Amino acid sequence: MTNKVQSEIDRLAELIGIPTTNLGKRSAALSFPDFGELNARLICADNLVALECLGQTESPRFDFCYIDPPYNTGQRFIYDDNRTSSARGIWGAHTNWMAFMLPRLLLAKKVMSDTGIIAVSIDDYEHHRLRVLMDAVFDEANHVGTLVVGRSKNGKGSQPGISVNHEYVLIFRRSDKATLRGLSESNPEGYDKSDSHGSYKIDGLFRKKGDASRRVDRPNMFFPLYYDDDGNVSTVKSGSTLKEVFPVDSSGIERRWLWGPEKTAKESWKLYASKSGVVYVKNYLTANKRVKIRSIWDNVGYLTEKATLEVKEIYGEKVFETPKPLTLIEHLVECCVDERGLVLDFFAGTGTTAHATENVNAADGGLRRVVLVEQNVPTPGTHIARTMGFGSLSDLTRHRLQYIQKQRPDYQFDVLDWTAETAMGSA
């Protein structure tokens, strides 16, 4: 696979206008033992090499990949977050960061299933460059959407003009075979009406809006409906008390209904009319109902301070400067991968993705499994993590897995050390 992938990296790098990355020579493909009863696996290695080796092994393909890569802030955290370069070419100071990310995204695509989804967290500084890379690797047509996630109440006070309090999650699919599951309905109390078919709520007009919504666009979908004082709707005027309504908007423009006459007659029980004659489609509450996610994610569980508290609870101190909160990753896992899916995080950090996945499994009875990748590189000598005994970044990841195991004794994980293979490569 290496030669083919190298050619693809070279092609895309030239197309985008960034330096290419040379995949080093690897030894024979490493083994990826069967998962058996494991819930998680930690691979200790440089993620570029780990991804390449995963592509060469008989490991199963991944159904969901979440990563929280370096944001290129120029700061020295527990990891080096400075991949700026001297201003040159179209991408200027962002060139090195893009060259760092391109091969990792391409290799990630290679180890994903055809129905796989990838979600990547990022902030404003590299958001646009990341979108260029994702479009090139996964194809613009496979961009599912971009989430705007509220991460703080007050924003970054150091920013002039605007206090930025959001980040992004870019979501792409591996192919058109992939779909999002949505989230479980969190507000069943909102279904405040009921009929013989069950509880429902009113939240969608039956009159078409937007493109191709006029009568002239679909003349056969312009016809009268009849409704009574209880909101029941029919295509037939079966009594003198029924009121007539056409799909005409408040400006007097003739629109059209969402359905044609035949379907409307057959499924009129799904419609509800207000006292003023506005016709809606009923949204019924069903068992295990899932709802489409919105692009704005605003939840106190997504705040950075929540993530910091979680890290302090697990490690005793803030041993990692840029953690993600469990709730955010739980919701991404729930909406992107089904109950038996395989999850990958190759910027594992403190292992939040494994913890979030296990929490979702506990909530819905799922059997999702996780592969984490984190480097064995030493933590900085003066960093709080080092003083607490965490000698490497992968030690932090392993500690989270051990924490989960203490909370749930039946939780099982193993560790594969591919560090020696990492040393053979050049990137």
Side-chain angles (χ1 to χ4, degrees), residues 267-339:
E267 301 185 25
S268 60
W269 58 272
K270 295 181 180 179
L271 304 178
Y272 174 86
S274 69
K275 299 294 184 183
S276 60
V278 179
V279 182
Y280 299 91
V281 180
K282 299 174 183 177
N283 183 354
Y284 283 92
L285 178 64
T286 57
N288 302 316
K289 184 179 180 67
R290 309 193 73 81
V291 295
K292 183 186 294 186
I293 62 173
R294 304 294 194 265
S295 60
I296 305 296
W297 280 30
D298 187 15
N299 183 315
V300 293
Y302 303 154
L303 298 180
T304 300
E305 63 187 65
K306 179 76 161 32
T308 299
L309 290 174
E310 290 166 354
V311 165
K312 287 182 176 179
E313 179 182 345
I314 295 168
Y315 294 90
E317 295 286 348
K318 186 180 179 181
V319 296
F320 199 82
E321 292 90 348
T322 58
K324 285 293 184 288
L326 276 167
T327 302
L328 173 62
I329 313 305
E330 286 166 3
H331 287 171
L332 287 171
V333 169
E334 184 189 349
C335 76
C336 293
V337 59
D338 66 25
E339 288 85 349

Side-chain angles (χ1 to χ4, degrees), residues 93-355:
H94 306 273
T95 302
N96 285 352
W97 184 87
M98 295 177 73
F100 168 80
M101 289 297 298
L102 175 62
R104 287 162 173 81
L105 292 172
L106 182 61
L107 287 166
K109 179 183 178 182
K110 300 297 182 185
V111 300
M112 290 169 60
S113 68
D114 285 344
T115 56
I117 297 286
I118 182 170
V120 185
S121 286
I122 202 69
D123 71 0
D124 274 320
Y125 188 66
E126 295 295 4
H127 169 246
H128 299 91
R129 268 65 60 176
L130 177 63
R131 177 62 196 269
V132 168
L133 294 172
M134 299 286 282
D135 281 348
V137 172
F138 290 93
D139 195 305
E140 182 180 1
N142 287 320
H143 177 230
V144 178
T146 297
L147 306 179
V148 180
V149 183
R151 294 300 315 282
S152 68
K153 294 178 180 178
N154 299 319
K156 298 177 182 178
S158 60
Q159 295 287 93
I162 297 176
S163 291
V164 178
N165 67 338
H166 70 276
E167 291 183 359
Y168 306 96
V169 177
L170 275 64
I171 301 179
F172 277 72
R173 59 187 183 181
R174 175 68 169 77
S175 75
D176 59 8
K177 297 178 182 178
T179 57
L180 292 188
R181 304 171 68 229
L183 292 173
S184 300
E185 176 55 74
S186 60
N187 183 32
E189 296 79 11
Y191 295 77
D192 54 356
K193 299 181 183 298
S194 63
D195 58 21
S196 59
H197 299 281
S199 298
Y200 66 91
K201 64 180 179 180
I202 301 302
D203 62 1
L205 284 175
F206 187 52
R207 186 182 67 239
K208 172 72 174 174
K209 299 185 296 182
D211 294 340
S213 64
R214 292 175 178 258
R215 177 180 184 175
V216 294
D217 296 316
R218 299 290 293 273
N220 64 317
M221 292 186 176
F222 183 89
F223 52 89
L225 291 177
Y226 305 93
Y227 66 98
D228 62 21
D229 291 338
D230 295 325
N232 299 305
V233 177
S234 172
T235 56
V236 179
K237 188 173 184 179
S238 55
S240 59
T241 60
L242 294 182
K243 301 171 186 176
E244 185 178 71
V245 60
F246 284 88
V248 178
D249 67 18
S250 59
S251 299
I253 298 173
E254 293 183 334
R255 303 288 182 178
R256 67 173 180 87
W257 301 122
L258 291 175
W259 308 334
E262 185 175 338
K263 180 176 180 179
T264 304
K266 186 178 180 180
E267 301 185 25
S268 60
W269 58 272
K270 295 181 180 179
L271 304 178
Y272 174 86
S274 69
K275 299 294 184 183
S276 60
V278 179
V279 182
Y280 299 91
V281 180
K282 299 174 183 177
N283 183 354
Y284 283 92
L285 178 64
T286 57
N288 302 316
K289 184 179 180 67
R290 309 193 73 81
V291 295
K292 183 186 294 186
I293 62 173
R294 304 294 194 265
S295 60
I296 305 296
W297 280 30
D298 187 15
N299 183 315
V300 293
Y302 303 154
L303 298 180
T304 300
E305 63 187 65
K306 179 76 161 32
T308 299
L309 290 174
E310 290 166 354
V311 165
K312 287 182 176 179
E313 179 182 345
I314 295 168
Y315 294 90
E317 295 286 348
K318 186 180 179 181
V319 296
F320 199 82
E321 292 90 348
T322 58
K324 285 293 184 288
L326 276 167
T327 302
L328 173 62
I329 313 305
E330 286 166 3
H331 287 171
L332 287 171
V333 169
E334 184 189 349
C335 76
C336 293
V337 59
D338 66 25
E339 288 85 349
R340 291 183 173 273
L342 184 60
V343 179
L344 172 66
D345 181 349
F346 55 89
F347 286 98
T350 61
T352 307
T353 299
H355 200 167

